[in-house]
Amino acid sequence: MKTIDRKGFLRTLGLAGVTAVAAPLLVHCGNDDDITTETGSSGNSSGSNSGTGSSATGCSVTNSETEGPFPTKSPSSLVQTNIVSDRTGVPFTIAITVQNVNAACANLQGAIVDIWHCDREGNYSEYGGSGMQSANYTSVHFLRGRQTTDANGKVNFTSVFPGWYSGRATHIHVHIYNASGQSLLVTQIAFPEGNDSAVVQVAASTGYKGMSGYTYNANDNVFSDGTSNEMSVITGSVSGGFALTHTIKVSA
């Protein structure tokens, strides 16, 4: 019989209990979900298109996920499209479309979208100096931002390509609210993998950590149950920068 993993456990608690339960269970900044030490490989992708998106998964709500131990502490103070701050890395743009499953997946205007991700070394801002993350970034707010969807249900951010850390595949955290501030969904965005993927190309770039010890999506406890509606499309190059596009479906 399969025992329930921590992701499933967190879901049963609801959003309000996620951070309180997750934080004391963790021993490193990257460990915002159960840790696996096994690594694997994924299918290849070719050309500048580094993966396929979630457009063919039907009109159903995108998977909910833990927000991890490092959610933005005061997201309303970080209304900005450029979230780079002082971080360096491969240029990266993020375009997210939000759709409402209660309106036949029409684009949802006026939704509030928070995103956050780690820097090229695998560290998060607003936290640190502890067993969960040794690097102390408690007083800075890089790679975090909030935007409101336009008439096409879209938000855009300018960032740098995320790094990775032990136990997790490359990912972006997302929290979506309605216009009144009611939480609609906490989820994560997965990145395509393969020999020619952006993840592999960026990992070999200056300042990034390479792929030794990387946890692939198939072995990541957040994504190991499938990424069909959490997988992004990434295009571009290291020299010119990469662009991520993704659609998230909520019940609004």
Side-chain angles (χ1 to χ4, degrees):
M1 179 180 298
K2 182 179 179 180
T3 58
I4 187 168
D5 60 16
R6 187 162 62 82
K7 184 177 70 173
F9 173 62
L10 290 174
R11 286 176 178 164
T12 67
L13 294 179
L15 176 62
V18 168
T19 302
V21 172
L25 294 176
L26 306 173
V27 294
H28 184 271
C29 85
N31 303 350
D32 57 359
D33 302 289
D34 286 349
I35 296 305
T36 59
T37 57
E38 180 181 8
T39 58
S41 60
S42 62
N44 292 334
S45 59
S46 59
S48 61
N49 188 339
S50 299
T52 57
S54 57
S55 60
T57 59
C59 188
S60 58
V61 175
T62 299
N63 287 3
S64 63
E65 306 290 3
T66 173
E67 63 181 353
F70 303 116
T72 304
K73 293 181 177 179
S74 299
S76 61
S77 67
L78 295 175
V79 178
Q80 54 191 2
T81 58
N82 189 324
I83 64 174
V84 175
S85 186
D86 65 344
R87 298 297 92 179
T88 57
V90 174
F92 190 49
T93 60
I94 301 162
I96 298 171
T97 300
V98 180
Q99 297 179 340
N100 183 9
V101 300
N102 295 330
C105 280
N107 295 332
L108 181 61
Q109 183 177 8
I112 300 168
V113 180
D114 292 336
I115 72 167
W116 64 98
H117 64 79
C118 69
D119 65 10
R120 68 184 187 181
E121 296 178 340
N123 294 312
Y124 285 91
S125 64
E126 301 191 355
Y127 297 85
S130 69
M132 290 188 293
Q133 177 175 297
S134 58
N136 192 337
Y137 291 117
T138 54
S139 62
V140 291
H141 310 281
F142 56 74
L143 306 181
R144 299 177 183 272
R146 166 174 285 193
Q147 282 291 292
T148 301
T149 56
D150 62 17
N152 296 313
K154 293 185 177 180
V155 292
N156 295 276
F157 297 92
T158 299
S159 189
V160 292
F161 203 95
W164 58 269
Y165 42 82
S166 177
R168 287 304 316 274
T170 306
H171 64 282
I172 295 173
H173 294 268
V174 184
H175 193 161
I176 299 175
Y177 307 80
N178 65 15
S180 300
Q182 177 184 358
S183 178
L184 297 177
L185 181 70
V186 179
T187 189
Q188 297 185 27
I189 300 175
F191 284 50
E193 296 166 344
N195 293 336
D196 194 37
S197 67
V199 167
V200 171
Q201 293 180 53
V202 169
S205 302
T206 301
Y208 287 83
K209 299 191 297 184
M211 294 295 288
S212 178
Y214 183 82
T215 298
Y216 288 85
N217 290 324
N219 297 312
D220 182 301
N221 257 28
V222 169
F223 297 136
S224 59
D225 59 351
T227 59
S228 61
N229 62 16
E230 296 172 291
M231 182 58 66
S232 60
V233 174
I234 301 178
T235 59
S237 64
V238 171
S239 59
F242 287 96
L244 177 150
T245 57
H246 185 55
T247 297
I248 298 176
K249 300 171 185 179
V250 301
S251 177

